[in-house]
Every structure is written in C-alpha cells, then in structure tokens.
Amino acid sequence: MTTLAGQEVPEEEQLRDALAERLIEIGAARSPGVVAAFRTVRRHLATPEADMASTYSAEIATITKTDEHGVDLSSVSAPRVQAMQMEQGDIAPGMSVLEIGSGGPNAANLAEMVGEDGRVVTMDIDPDVTDRATAFLEETGYRNVTVLTGDAEHGDPAHAPFDRIIVTVQAADIPPAWVAQLKDGGRLVVPLRLRGLTRTVAFVRDGDRLVSDGFELCGFVPMQGIGENRVRLAVLHEEVGEEVGLRLDGHPEPDTAALATALSLPRTVRWSGVTLGGSESNEHLDLWLTTALDNLPLLTAKPGARARGLVASASPLGIPTLVDGDSLAYRTVRPTDQQDRYELGAIGHGPQGHALAELLAEEIRTWDRDHRGHRARIEVYPAGTPDARLPAGGRRVERRHSRITITWP
C-alpha cells in the first residue's frame, strides 16, 4: 500500500515499531530517546521513489544520488548506522546539534531527541540533497530544524557553538571550524578514515584537541567540497569481473607491475594460532595492524578474482595487506575443528611473500597477547602541534588540518 503526503496508513506504524524492535535486538538502539525517535519519524517520506518497507530495514541505506560512473554521492544512511551515531552522540533535550551531510530522516531523529527547546542545523554541499531534506521536514512538520546549503568545511558559525556535531559523510580530516564551533566538553561524532580504515568515532573536545570516547565500524559516502580527500585505487589486475587493486590512503606508491606478477606466483600461507568466533569482529585487530605496520593498504578484489584463485579472500571493505616492493601478504582465515570458530593467518605472494606473511601473522599474535582486550585511543590535534605534545608511540596520521594519533594501552 502506498502512502499519500500527510496521510498515514496502518503499515507505517507497524514498520516503525518493527524497526525500533530490531534496532534494540541488535544493540544499535539502547537509550529511550533513540528508540522513541525511530518509532516516530516517517522516514519513508524522504525517499518516495524507494520501496517503503526497505526504508524501514535496519541494514539498508537508501541511495539518493549517484554520479555518471555509478558512484554513490549521497544516501539516507541505514537506520542501524544512524542509531549507532545517535547513541555515540549522547544527545539530550534542549541541545543544539549540527548535522553535516543532510538527507532529512536523521535530522528528524535528532529533532525528536533535542525536543522543542533544542535546535538542529543540517547542512549539505549538494542543493539537490538539501531541497529533498527541506521538503521532507516541511511535510513531516519539524520546525526546529534549519536546513543550509554550503560546504561543511566551514561549519555554521551563525548558529555556533554546538553541543553536538554529527557527521554523516566519510571524512579524512577534521577542519578547524568543527572544533572551534563545538563547545568544550561537547561531542563530535564523525566517520573518520585512518589509513584506509573508516570508523565512526565519538570525540570529546578538550581545549584544542579531540579525544576519542569509543568508535564503531562503519561505511559512508566520502565528503565532497574543499575537504574532499578520496582513497586512490592502484590496479593490480583488471580483467572484467576479476579486478584486484590496492586502496591507498597516504601509503607509498606501489610497484603495480611487480605486484601483479607476485599474484601469479605460488602463495605462501602462515597461520597464527589465534582464533575468532564467527560473530566476533576483526575491526580492532585491523586497527592494531595499521598502527603497528607501516605500508598496509587495503586489498580489494571482485569475487571472480577469488574464484579464479588470484586471491583467497575478497571483501568490499578491503583486507589489510602488507606490501614491500615486489611482494605482499594479506590477512585470511580458515575454519577450525571448533564449531563457528576460525583461525587467523596470512597469505604471501612474491619473492618476500614468506617473510611478509610471517610478519603479519606475528603481529596478529601480538594483538592477541597484548591488546585483544583493549581499545585504541584516537586523538586529534591541530596541524603544527609540536611532537612533544603528542602521545608517545603508536601511529601518527598527518592531514592538512590535523595530526591524528592512534595509541594503545
């Protein structure tokens, strides 16, 4: 059954309630305010061209715009991800919230949480996106939301300072305006890309620095405008349906010809003895690997490359891969004799494949021995901050506006 503007049909309430219950079940929505927002917001009205039921699926992001190559430019994020960020934001009634990356439904969620005494500003660089958000918010009656069209690199000084800033596009850097417009002690929630790995991080402002207070695995469309800084793909194999490449994010330029040759050579496998449960995420392991190892881009491959035997694993997010000249090694898993448990290991290719696979396996053992129960601490400092002010050890990621550090207990 379709929905007419301003007229609710019975299926809507059922879909909203089912979505809220699913978000509770998977642990994405925990606080009463987040649950209530999803029970209330008529999110399907933002994307009338989409199937109504799909817009209330916890895991489905609704794509609203693509470029001429089919690359996603904007979307309404999956409810699970929206709920996750709302929980990270710790949003309360009366707060002032800036949302960077608009779409409509998430601004409505935030408006529900801040209440009549609060204020939400939602902004996007794309007028098509803000026009859609404006129409949705007017149709659904949210009056405490201001929609702005502009480059979010500069934030919104007219309505600052904000108690919370929620970023719903992937960012590789933290512009100074975001820190300056956030109240001291306020929270910035941002999908931050660190050496190719994206995590939505909840930061707390402490003077001129940001200190992490938890992070979650996520995927978002990249930021556009002045702050755009996209990952570059170095292609190793380009047969249609079998493409293999390395996603580079500040990593050294690889010798693609030598690595393409390496993939055609016999592989070396080294197993670590470290196991994961079937439902246990490897996100903290991968963050440890990118902290500990210097040249670790992400290997991406189409399923056809795995079927042909070029690679043993294919992941849409990419697999951490240690590269050294003409050789590489990437993380892999195999089943164990225990039900729903898998052993971690590494597969090497090329003249140094054996040594690289062993090095990668050894770092997996180090993580298991020293850091498996820990979570990384991520801090953001202004560009130009002296080394003496930065935490000792760990990994430093240098960006135009900021110096980002990843350290472990």
Side-chain angles (χ1 to χ4, degrees):
M1 182 181 295
T2 57
T3 303
L4 301 177
Q7 178 180 342
E8 185 170 337
V9 296
E11 286 89 341
E12 277 193 53
E13 185 174 358
Q14 296 173 12
L15 288 169
R16 292 199 302 269
D17 285 346
L19 172 58
E21 291 301 321
R22 177 58 179 160
L23 293 174
I24 294 170
E25 179 185 338
I26 63 179
R30 300 181 300 276
S31 63
V34 172
V35 174
F38 282 97
R39 289 196 192 278
T40 304
V41 173
R42 303 175 67 191
R43 59 186 297 116
H44 68 283
L45 295 179
T47 52
E49 69 280 6
D51 173 67
M52 185 169 74
S54 72
T55 65
Y56 290 97
S57 172
E59 300 290 350
I60 294 179
T62 305
I63 305 303
T64 56
K65 189 173 184 178
T66 58
D67 66 13
E68 67 274 17
H69 306 295
V71 176
D72 297 339
L73 295 178
S74 63
S75 67
V76 175
S77 297
R80 179 186 64 80
V81 176
Q82 291 178 332
M84 184 170 66
Q85 286 198 305
M86 290 160 67
E87 293 286 2
Q88 287 182 302
D90 191 23
I91 299 160
M95 283 186 172
S96 175
V97 180
L98 171 63
E99 180 193 30
I100 293 173
S102 193
N106 201 53
N109 287 334
L110 297 171
E112 289 286 342
M113 295 192 70
V114 302
E116 294 182 359
D117 295 330
R119 164 61 58 182
V120 175
V121 177
T122 182
M123 67 184 306
D124 199 282
I125 196 171
D126 188 337
D128 291 340
V129 174
T130 51
D131 286 349
R132 181 188 289 265
T134 298
F136 167 76
L137 292 164
E138 288 179 352
E139 181 177 2
T140 48
Y142 289 95
R143 304 289 178 237
N144 59 341
V145 181
T146 300
V147 181
L148 300 177
T149 303
D151 195 324
E153 176 91 355
H154 309 298
D156 176 27
H159 295 93
F162 296 97
D163 298 287
R164 302 289 188 264
I165 298 178
I166 310 295
V167 184
T168 64
V169 289
Q170 182 199 86
D173 199 357
I174 305 295
W178 296 1
V179 181
Q181 294 172 24
L182 184 65
K183 293 179 182 178
D184 204 35
R187 297 173 77 87
L188 165 68
V189 178
V190 55
L192 186 61
R193 195 181 77 232
L194 301 163
R195 307 188 80 219
L197 303 175
T198 302
R199 304 289 186 268
T200 178
V201 187
F203 287 109
V204 176
R205 181 181 175 184
D206 179 15
D208 67 350
R209 70 170 181 162
L210 300 169
V211 181
S212 66
D213 183 32
F215 54 86
E216 302 284 350
L217 183 66
C218 65
F220 283 83
V221 295
M223 179 171 287
Q224 302 178 59
I226 296 174
E228 183 172 319
N229 179 347
R230 299 201 177 203
V231 167
R232 192 174 71 78
L233 183 67
V235 178
L236 306 185
H237 180 80
E238 52 186 345
E239 290 292 329
V240 176
E242 299 178 356
E243 293 90 340
V244 180
L246 292 171
R247 288 180 178 162
L248 308 178
D249 183 17
H251 301 96
E253 187 68 24
D255 185 340
T256 54
L259 294 176
T261 299
L263 284 178
S264 67
L265 299 176
R267 64 183 62 166
T268 298
V269 184
R270 289 294 175 267
W271 297 105
S272 67
V274 178
T275 62
L276 289 176
S279 61
E280 188 176 358
S281 173
N282 55 34
E283 61 185 287
H284 300 291
L285 165 62
D286 287 352
L287 197 55
W288 165 255
L289 293 177
T290 204
T291 303
L293 298 169
D294 288 333
N295 191 7
L296 199 80
L298 300 182
L299 181 73
T300 180
K302 293 289 181 68
R306 180 174 57 186
R308 182 176 166 181
L310 288 171
V311 295
S313 302
S315 165
L317 295 178
I319 301 169
T321 300
L322 184 58
V323 176
D324 187 358
D326 57 2
S327 304
L328 55 80
Y330 55 89
R331 177 178 52 70
T332 190
V333 296
R334 67 176 176 181
T336 69
D337 56 7
Q338 295 178 281
Q339 185 176 3
D340 200 32
R341 197 148 193 93
Y342 301 84
E343 183 181 6
L344 293 160
I347 292 176
H349 290 268
Q352 304 175 74
H354 171 90
L356 294 182
E358 183 53 50
L359 179 56
L360 195 55
E362 183 55 36
E363 286 300 339
I364 293 171
R365 297 183 196 106
T366 299
W367 168 78
D368 180 59
R369 182 182 65 244
D370 299 337
H371 300 293
R372 187 164 187 152
H374 298 151
R375 297 297 176 259
R377 179 182 175 95
I378 304 170
E379 299 181 39
V380 180
Y381 293 79
T385 299
D387 287 353
R389 276 198 61 201
L390 302 182
R395 171 67 55 181
R396 294 175 183 176
V397 179
E398 307 288 351
R399 300 297 196 193
R400 182 163 65 98
H401 294 308
S402 54
R403 306 189 73 186
I404 305 167
T405 65
I406 310 170
T407 56
W408 294 75

